[in-house]
Amino acid sequence: KVGKVFIPGLPAPSLTMSNQMPRPSTPLDSVSTPSKPLNKHLGPLEEGVLLSPVPELRDSSKLHDSTYVEDCTFQQLGTFIHALRDPVHNRVTLELSNNTMVRITIPEIATSELVKRCLQGVKAILPKEIAVQMLVKWYNAYNAPGGPSYHSEWNLFVTCLMNMMGYNTERLSWTRNLDFEGSLSPVIAPKKARPSETGSDEDWEYLLSSDYHRNFESHPVAKALRLDPLEVSAPKDDFSQSLSLDSSTLLFTHIPAIFFVLHLIYEELKLNSLMGEGIRSLVVLLIQLARDLKLEAYIDYYYRDYPALVKTSRQTCIIDQVQTGFMHHPSFFSAEPPSIFQWLSSCLKGERVQPYPYLPGICERSKLVVLSVALYILGDESAVSNEASHYLYKITSGQRKQQIEQDDYRCSFRHSTSVSSLAEKLVIWMTNVGFTLRDLESLPFGVALPIRDAIYYCREQPASDWPEAVCLLIGRQDLSKQACEGNLQKGKSVILSSDIPSGTESEEDEDGMNDMNEEVMSLIWSEDLRVQEVRRLLQSARPVRVNVVQMPEASDHEYIEEKENRLLQLCQRTMALPVGRGMFTLFSYHPVPTEQLPIPKLNLTGRAPPRNTTVDLNSGNIDVPPNMACWASFHNGVAAGLKIAPASQIDSAWIVYNKPKIAELANEYAGFLMALGLNGHLTKLATLNIHDYLTKGHEMTSIGLLLGVSAAKLGTMDMAITRLLSIHIPALLPPTSTELDVPHNVQVAAVIGIGLVYQGTAHRHTAEVLLAEIGRPPGPEMEYCTDRESYSLASGLALGMVCLGHGSNLIGMSDLNVPEQLYQYMVGGHRRFQAGMHREKHKSPSYQIKEGDTINVDVTCPGATLALAMIYLKTNNRSIADWLQAPDTMYLLDFVKPEFLLLRTLARCLILWDDILPNSKWVNSNVPQIIRENSISLQATELPSSEDLSLETLAQAHVYIIAGACLSLGFRFAGSENLAAFKCLYKYATDFLKCLSAPTASITGHYNLETCLSVLLLSLAMVMAGSGNLKVLQLCRFMHKKTGGEMNYGFHLAHHMALGLLFLGGGRYSLSTSNSSIAALLCALYPHFPVHSTDNRYHLQALRHLYVLAAEPRLLTPVDVDSNTPCYALIEVTYKGTQWYAEATEELMAPTLLPELHLLKQIRVKGPRYWELLIDLSKGTNHLKSILSKGGVLYVKLRAGQLSYKEDPMGWRSLLAQTVTHRNSEARAFKPEAISAFTSDPALFSFADYFCKPTVNMGQ
């Protein structure tokens, strides 16, 4: 067992490798069995050493243990093999001692599939030592110098095998005629004498006995010409001379075992329609063996398969009776030939079946077919579950006999399981064992039928979460593509072609809205141009038109001033636009890491017709407030930053790279940082850079950064961020620490930041500090005196976030009396003694503000009210809700600001979440009786007269309470597109609009009515978020046109936020009603709007952007898997039953916004045009969530013969419909396109196209 290998270019004798095999092992095991993995590492190489019949050289000096390579004899030459390395398949590198390397290929053990199979089978059945000897002999014969070509490999194998069994292949007629095109190795037979050049009689006889001659004789022409058949002289071989077998050969005793194994391989090959040639070759060998073993049943069996072959071969070899005794008949040998087809037909008839014998690793296809039939036809689910199935028994080599004690199983049982679940089981099992469509195509059709049937079942009703391989097997490209995209890592989201160059002129490109996905939006809103209209309303990059008519009495200078005053009014609107634009373009852009993010400029100039002269505010003719545009540019930065999708690839360097060089743009960069926090990218910014930005002391940057970092770490209680925020909140610092001079707005942002980082954690210390901060008194020096309201509100909102939805279960906080303390802040009363560390600071009262020792309700009420609302959110706690009831006597009404009634009503409704009903009756039920009876109705024209009641108070209370109830309706149905809620809110909005123009408006006050109208518009937009509803859009556009008068910056802000919410993320996003979302929306939509663009007194403007935390992707976009374009598809959404409605289904035409996922039971893509597809949400919503977060792409596949809804909205244009509608349908020629009505297979298309083209002169 020593291999000698010749390597060209090296001194030949130096490379002798000797290998003392520690155990008889199979040479080239890794190469010859494709079912086993290839060489993993150097380990198996010991088996890969070449074997050839050269005597073994022994040498004591082991050189390199791990490879068993010995330095043999020729050390004087100086080159010997030092090591083997890098084995790949059958190639290996030799490392020589003189530091050169040689790559060699060890020849394959066999190349033809048939020979490989037979070798494996024989090897599996023989004892180890004999198997090795057999393989060595074959290997030497096969790899003799100038070895045979591919075709003759089988002939060589047969000859070699039969020699080893003791046959004299020279004497046996059919083996003698096998040709080996190539030199024969001496092992087999001496070379035949070369025939003479002139030819001989034998050539003629060879021709007569050939197949060609036989076919020719049976040809009809031969009969017609009455040609006499030629006599074939009988072959010279004398049959009487019996051939006997040499019983001393290697494999003689194992002939029955080898025969049986070859028979099983024959059965296995029948299951592969591509191996027809191989079967014929193998059957010849099997017939010879069956004859000699006198196995009548087998001969009969082959005769039925190949009558012609059995007839032609008649030579038998006699085996002595004595020697038959030596033959080893294995236990598994059966007298009846095992037949896979017979086994299958018995199964189908329901007869008893014996276990089918199979060779592990070789007859894999038989095993697969047997088990799949057992599973699918017999319905036995356990067939594929465990290894030792009773439908098969394994055949192993002689030493380990396996006893079969199982009785015959009766095959009539069919479990109660449905067909579809068996089909699923079968398909999933087949993919697990690696069965593919190509294997299915090579199975004989009848055998494949049950499998195809199962595949057909599964194709009709697949589950949406099957792995990619299963979807490929059942032929659902839509699902396999979905599965394949689902496996991509998070970052690579599916981007539909959003980079379509928009055919707009260059000036429009700067408005910051050109990265929207036009393709999907044109499907959602296909009938009109509402998207262009929104874009026009929200753009702030071009000069506005200032249209002022010059009065005859006005001088030119007065006229210029008038124009500039008008421009100042219009600029209030322009500065409010970016917040809405941020909503519209939310998450629509993937930035290029090498370019800066384009931020559209905020244009505050105007153009005056007719000459288009420029109007500018900086001319000095009128007084312009200082820093007027600083918050507007902050919002502009946020809007630009929010375009970046959360899935984009962004790193710290890119964020820093965007820092502008000019100081004027610092505010925009501050907004950009906040936006990066809101979409989760700010976590990538290095701590060093955060510190760097904060130390610059730029107020806006600090606000943006603190809010951004907190939003990115929402609810994580992150310690590093907590420290960062605490530095900016005096109350969280130890009492002895240095007093830092932190700007007031930064303190507010930090407090909200604490609320975000600790959201929902009910952290005791944080809650205690925030509770105290709501009522923080003004200090003795000028600190805490300005804008106290916004700080108190922020503390209340933050406290609400920390204890979000915990209600009365605030563990370990009972001694803080949170609800009672908040109630006191809300209604007023005597201030409690300040507990905690900071009491020293509050000993002396403020010198500026005289508050006395009662709580200043005007400051503390909003924060406390909203904190109560958030702590008891959705808890339906009646006792707390009753505290928030609007007062029902005139005396008490005088004590409450009408504005606070809006907040109280809102808070009360949010606590009694389940009581909210979408109708006007419920809305009016929130108004106390005294107001209902005495107040002016919203439509009244003349005033009722009354002495003891203040009409003004009643009217204001009435509108604010209704606005509060409507806002709660907006929260309750946020993002649901609930029709009843929409109608109810729309009615109130139109009522308020009428009210504004009614004569009674002066009593209520224009400001109050505008505030209520803005609140209603926001509520409407919340309910219809992302849907782009036309009626709401018309309202928004109407409000957009109103400038001047009472319309200040804050109202414009509210109206354009409503417009943005209506088209949230270009129709891809909607609002969620989870607790966390409601908290974020309360911060963003706080119903007190700033009076001018620098006003942060009651509410910090930066918080308006927290709506992002409530937005979630809910657009489902069907994408045609063949053309990869978005398309329409009918989907059916099933709602779970709730206390308000029973389980219901609804049909939607996708692309559409889905309802919130927790309300749904399942979603189905409906036929008949597309293949059906079911997404079952009762198992969990993660699959659908991941689809939605990756752009909502749901792949669908058109069925054959259907057109998409875009091409054929009514379904009248399909190909089958055309054939029916033609009058003279029989006269129509067949068009190749018609084939598409029946199939969507591209191979068949091209076939039809090629073969069914009508010829030119067809009609003549």
Side-chain angles (χ1 to χ4, degrees), residues 514-529:
N514 45 342
D515 298 299
M516 308 294 290
N517 189 341
E518 305 286 339
E519 210 176 355
V520 177
M521 289 200 298
S522 65
L523 282 180
I524 305 176
W525 300 295
S526 53
E527 285 90 44
D528 46 42
L529 301 175

PDB file of all heavy atoms in Angstrom, residues 514-529:
ATOM      1  N   ASN A 514     -37.446  66.331  -3.010  1.00  0.00           N
ATOM      2  CA  ASN A 514     -37.331  65.622  -4.284  1.00  0.00           C
ATOM      3  C   ASN A 514     -36.834  64.193  -4.133  1.00  0.00           C
ATOM      4  O   ASN A 514     -36.573  63.539  -5.102  1.00  0.00           O
ATOM      5  CB  ASN A 514     -36.415  66.397  -5.238  1.00  0.00           C
ATOM      6  CG  ASN A 514     -35.170  66.862  -4.547  1.00  0.00           C
ATOM      7  OD1 ASN A 514     -35.142  66.905  -3.324  1.00  0.00           O
ATOM      8  ND2 ASN A 514     -34.145  67.193  -5.282  1.00  0.00           N
ATOM      9  N   ASP A 515     -36.698  63.691  -2.916  1.00  0.00           N
ATOM     10  CA  ASP A 515     -36.244  62.301  -2.765  1.00  0.00           C
ATOM     11  C   ASP A 515     -37.394  61.371  -2.431  1.00  0.00           C
ATOM     12  O   ASP A 515     -37.185  60.252  -2.008  1.00  0.00           O
ATOM     13  CB  ASP A 515     -35.192  62.227  -1.655  1.00  0.00           C
ATOM     14  CG  ASP A 515     -33.989  63.056  -1.991  1.00  0.00           C
ATOM     15  OD1 ASP A 515     -33.356  62.765  -3.017  1.00  0.00           O
ATOM     16  OD2 ASP A 515     -33.697  64.010  -1.264  1.00  0.00           O
ATOM     17  N   MET A 516     -38.614  61.861  -2.593  1.00  0.00           N
ATOM     18  CA  MET A 516     -39.755  61.013  -2.256  1.00  0.00           C
ATOM     19  C   MET A 516     -39.895  59.909  -3.295  1.00  0.00           C
ATOM     20  O   MET A 516     -39.493  60.065  -4.439  1.00  0.00           O
ATOM     21  CB  MET A 516     -41.041  61.846  -2.240  1.00  0.00           C
ATOM     22  CG  MET A 516     -40.948  63.074  -1.389  1.00  0.00           C
ATOM     23  SD  MET A 516     -40.769  62.664   0.328  1.00  0.00           S
ATOM     24  CE  MET A 516     -42.368  62.003   0.670  1.00  0.00           C
ATOM     25  N   ASN A 517     -40.495  58.813  -2.875  1.00  0.00           N
ATOM     26  CA  ASN A 517     -40.675  57.696  -3.801  1.00  0.00           C
ATOM     27  C   ASN A 517     -41.913  57.936  -4.660  1.00  0.00           C
ATOM     28  O   ASN A 517     -43.020  57.561  -4.302  1.00  0.00           O
ATOM     29  CB  ASN A 517     -40.817  56.409  -2.996  1.00  0.00           C
ATOM     30  CG  ASN A 517     -40.780  55.197  -3.877  1.00  0.00           C
ATOM     31  OD1 ASN A 517     -41.003  55.295  -5.077  1.00  0.00           O
ATOM     32  ND2 ASN A 517     -40.504  54.056  -3.314  1.00  0.00           N
ATOM     33  N   GLU A 518     -41.666  58.575  -5.816  1.00  0.00           N
ATOM     34  CA  GLU A 518     -42.800  58.963  -6.669  1.00  0.00           C
ATOM     35  C   GLU A 518     -43.620  57.744  -7.096  1.00  0.00           C
ATOM     36  O   GLU A 518     -44.828  57.811  -7.227  1.00  0.00           O
ATOM     37  CB  GLU A 518     -42.286  59.658  -7.942  1.00  0.00           C
ATOM     38  CG  GLU A 518     -41.387  60.847  -7.692  1.00  0.00           C
ATOM     39  CD  GLU A 518     -42.148  62.062  -7.195  1.00  0.00           C
ATOM     40  OE1 GLU A 518     -43.375  62.099  -7.432  1.00  0.00           O
ATOM     41  OE2 GLU A 518     -41.546  62.934  -6.558  1.00  0.00           O
ATOM     42  N   GLU A 519     -42.916  56.621  -7.328  1.00  0.00           N
ATOM     43  CA  GLU A 519     -43.587  55.457  -7.910  1.00  0.00           C
ATOM     44  C   GLU A 519     -44.707  54.959  -7.004  1.00  0.00           C
ATOM     45  O   GLU A 519     -45.824  54.713  -7.448  1.00  0.00           O
ATOM     46  CB  GLU A 519     -42.537  54.366  -8.114  1.00  0.00           C
ATOM     47  CG  GLU A 519     -42.844  53.478  -9.263  1.00  0.00           C
ATOM     48  CD  GLU A 519     -41.743  52.454  -9.499  1.00  0.00           C
ATOM     49  OE1 GLU A 519     -40.701  52.508  -8.811  1.00  0.00           O
ATOM     50  OE2 GLU A 519     -41.937  51.603 -10.360  1.00  0.00           O
ATOM     51  N   VAL A 520     -44.378  54.851  -5.714  1.00  0.00           N
ATOM     52  CA  VAL A 520     -45.393  54.339  -4.784  1.00  0.00           C
ATOM     53  C   VAL A 520     -46.479  55.390  -4.570  1.00  0.00           C
ATOM     54  O   VAL A 520     -47.672  55.073  -4.537  1.00  0.00           O
ATOM     55  CB  VAL A 520     -44.733  53.950  -3.450  1.00  0.00           C
ATOM     56  CG1 VAL A 520     -45.779  53.491  -2.465  1.00  0.00           C
ATOM     57  CG2 VAL A 520     -43.723  52.840  -3.683  1.00  0.00           C
ATOM     58  N   MET A 521     -46.070  56.666  -4.450  1.00  0.00           N
ATOM     59  CA  MET A 521     -47.077  57.706  -4.197  1.00  0.00           C
ATOM     60  C   MET A 521     -48.048  57.828  -5.369  1.00  0.00           C
ATOM     61  O   MET A 521     -49.220  58.094  -5.178  1.00  0.00           O
ATOM     62  CB  MET A 521     -46.391  59.047  -3.919  1.00  0.00           C
ATOM     63  CG  MET A 521     -45.701  59.060  -2.566  1.00  0.00           C
ATOM     64  SD  MET A 521     -45.365  60.692  -1.914  1.00  0.00           S
ATOM     65  CE  MET A 521     -44.285  61.349  -3.124  1.00  0.00           C
ATOM     66  N   SER A 522     -47.535  57.590  -6.584  1.00  0.00           N
ATOM     67  CA  SER A 522     -48.448  57.707  -7.722  1.00  0.00           C
ATOM     68  C   SER A 522     -49.428  56.529  -7.739  1.00  0.00           C
ATOM     69  O   SER A 522     -50.483  56.609  -8.361  1.00  0.00           O
ATOM     70  CB  SER A 522     -47.668  57.739  -9.023  1.00  0.00           C
ATOM     71  OG  SER A 522     -47.021  56.506  -9.213  1.00  0.00           O
ATOM     72  N   LEU A 523     -49.082  55.430  -7.069  1.00  0.00           N
ATOM     73  CA  LEU A 523     -50.056  54.336  -6.943  1.00  0.00           C
ATOM     74  C   LEU A 523     -51.082  54.643  -5.857  1.00  0.00           C
ATOM     75  O   LEU A 523     -52.265  54.351  -5.999  1.00  0.00           O
ATOM     76  CB  LEU A 523     -49.339  53.032  -6.586  1.00  0.00           C
ATOM     77  CG  LEU A 523     -48.626  52.278  -7.700  1.00  0.00           C
ATOM     78  CD1 LEU A 523     -47.991  51.022  -7.152  1.00  0.00           C
ATOM     79  CD2 LEU A 523     -49.583  51.900  -8.808  1.00  0.00           C
ATOM     80  N   ILE A 524     -50.615  55.225  -4.741  1.00  0.00           N
ATOM     81  CA  ILE A 524     -51.546  55.468  -3.634  1.00  0.00           C
ATOM     82  C   ILE A 524     -52.554  56.539  -4.027  1.00  0.00           C
ATOM     83  O   ILE A 524     -53.750  56.406  -3.814  1.00  0.00           O
ATOM     84  CB  ILE A 524     -50.782  55.924  -2.367  1.00  0.00           C
ATOM     85  CG1 ILE A 524     -49.693  54.928  -1.996  1.00  0.00           C
ATOM     86  CG2 ILE A 524     -51.734  56.069  -1.195  1.00  0.00           C
ATOM     87  CD1 ILE A 524     -48.848  55.368  -0.836  1.00  0.00           C
ATOM     88  N   TRP A 525     -52.038  57.636  -4.600  1.00  0.00           N
ATOM     89  CA  TRP A 525     -52.939  58.725  -4.998  1.00  0.00           C
ATOM     90  C   TRP A 525     -52.857  58.868  -6.513  1.00  0.00           C
ATOM     91  O   TRP A 525     -52.179  59.744  -7.040  1.00  0.00           O
ATOM     92  CB  TRP A 525     -52.521  60.025  -4.309  1.00  0.00           C
ATOM     93  CG  TRP A 525     -52.570  59.915  -2.827  1.00  0.00           C
ATOM     94  CD1 TRP A 525     -53.679  59.724  -2.057  1.00  0.00           C
ATOM     95  CD2 TRP A 525     -51.466  59.975  -1.916  1.00  0.00           C
ATOM     96  NE1 TRP A 525     -53.328  59.657  -0.723  1.00  0.00           N
ATOM     97  CE2 TRP A 525     -51.983  59.815  -0.613  1.00  0.00           C
ATOM     98  CE3 TRP A 525     -50.095  60.162  -2.063  1.00  0.00           C
ATOM     99  CZ2 TRP A 525     -51.171  59.821   0.520  1.00  0.00           C
ATOM    100  CZ3 TRP A 525     -49.305  60.172  -0.930  1.00  0.00           C
ATOM    101  CH2 TRP A 525     -49.842  59.998   0.349  1.00  0.00           C
ATOM    102  N   SER A 526     -53.566  57.980  -7.212  1.00  0.00           N
ATOM    103  CA  SER A 526     -53.363  57.938  -8.661  1.00  0.00           C
ATOM    104  C   SER A 526     -54.286  58.900  -9.394  1.00  0.00           C
ATOM    105  O   SER A 526     -54.034  59.246 -10.530  1.00  0.00           O
ATOM    106  CB  SER A 526     -53.599  56.519  -9.162  1.00  0.00           C
ATOM    107  OG  SER A 526     -54.864  56.083  -8.716  1.00  0.00           O
ATOM    108  N   GLU A 527     -55.388  59.359  -8.734  1.00  0.00           N
ATOM    109  CA  GLU A 527     -56.384  60.115  -9.504  1.00  0.00           C
ATOM    110  C   GLU A 527     -56.063  61.596  -9.610  1.00  0.00           C
ATOM    111  O   GLU A 527     -56.634  62.277 -10.440  1.00  0.00           O
ATOM    112  CB  GLU A 527     -57.782  59.973  -8.885  1.00  0.00           C
ATOM    113  CG  GLU A 527     -58.440  58.635  -9.126  1.00  0.00           C
ATOM    114  CD  GLU A 527     -58.100  57.649  -8.030  1.00  0.00           C
ATOM    115  OE1 GLU A 527     -58.143  58.044  -6.867  1.00  0.00           O
ATOM    116  OE2 GLU A 527     -57.761  56.497  -8.354  1.00  0.00           O
ATOM    117  N   ASP A 528     -55.248  62.132  -8.713  1.00  0.00           N
ATOM    118  CA  ASP A 528     -55.093  63.586  -8.722  1.00  0.00           C
ATOM    119  C   ASP A 528     -53.656  63.970  -8.402  1.00  0.00           C
ATOM    120  O   ASP A 528     -52.792  63.122  -8.229  1.00  0.00           O
ATOM    121  CB  ASP A 528     -56.059  64.227  -7.716  1.00  0.00           C
ATOM    122  CG  ASP A 528     -56.021  63.504  -6.392  1.00  0.00           C
ATOM    123  OD1 ASP A 528     -54.908  63.157  -5.947  1.00  0.00           O
ATOM    124  OD2 ASP A 528     -57.079  63.277  -5.797  1.00  0.00           O
ATOM    125  N   LEU A 529     -53.440  65.279  -8.294  1.00  0.00           N
ATOM    126  CA  LEU A 529     -52.080  65.780  -8.095  1.00  0.00           C
ATOM    127  C   LEU A 529     -51.887  66.267  -6.668  1.00  0.00           C
ATOM    128  O   LEU A 529     -51.231  67.288  -6.443  1.00  0.00           O
ATOM    129  CB  LEU A 529     -51.808  66.921  -9.082  1.00  0.00           C
ATOM    130  CG  LEU A 529     -51.947  66.533 -10.550  1.00  0.00           C
ATOM    131  CD1 LEU A 529     -51.781  67.738 -11.444  1.00  0.00           C
ATOM    132  CD2 LEU A 529     -50.912  65.485 -10.924  1.00  0.00           C
TER     133      LEU A 529
END
